Amino acid sequence: MSSESAAANATSTQESADPRALTLENVERTLDELRPYLMADGGNVEVVEIDGPIVKVRLQGACGSCPSSTMTLKMGIERKLREAIPEVSEVVQVL
């Protein structure tokens, strides 16, 4: 294999495994960083759907009925996902 084709293969592999791409795997990886904090308060988060640049989640357990859930969703989950995956434009809660 020539060095040019080896470089092209390496580039395409890097692109498909881009940790900043909007994929379910990358969203889950980012949420895994937040889950210990949610679980400490008796809650969790589940990805329901990725609809274009919008990630739809369901807050579970105590987080689903907590009066601060909107703040958790926007200031915690959405902020972290947008930092990690720039393509995310919004995170919305579905019931």
Side-chain angles (χ1 to χ4, degrees), residues 13-86:
T13 302
Q14 288 173 352
E15 288 173 7
S16 64
D18 183 359
R20 296 174 55 88
L22 180 52
T23 64
L24 180 58
E25 180 182 331
N26 290 341
V27 169
E28 287 288 354
R29 179 184 40 78
T30 303
L31 292 177
D32 283 346
E33 296 175 20
L34 298 173
R35 283 190 169 102
Y37 304 104
L38 297 171
M39 289 177 177
D41 289 332
N44 203 347
V45 61
E46 167 193 16
V47 178
V48 174
E49 179 183 13
I50 297 175
D51 184 12
I54 299 170
V55 178
K56 297 180 180 181
V57 299
R58 180 176 294 120
L59 295 176
Q60 300 173 324
C63 290
S65 59
C66 175
S68 299
S69 64
T70 301
M71 185 70 74
T72 298
L73 182 72
K74 292 296 179 183
M75 298 304 290
I77 296 170
E78 181 177 272
R79 188 171 127 223
K80 180 71 172 174
L81 282 172
R82 289 179 75 181
E83 285 173 5
I85 306 169

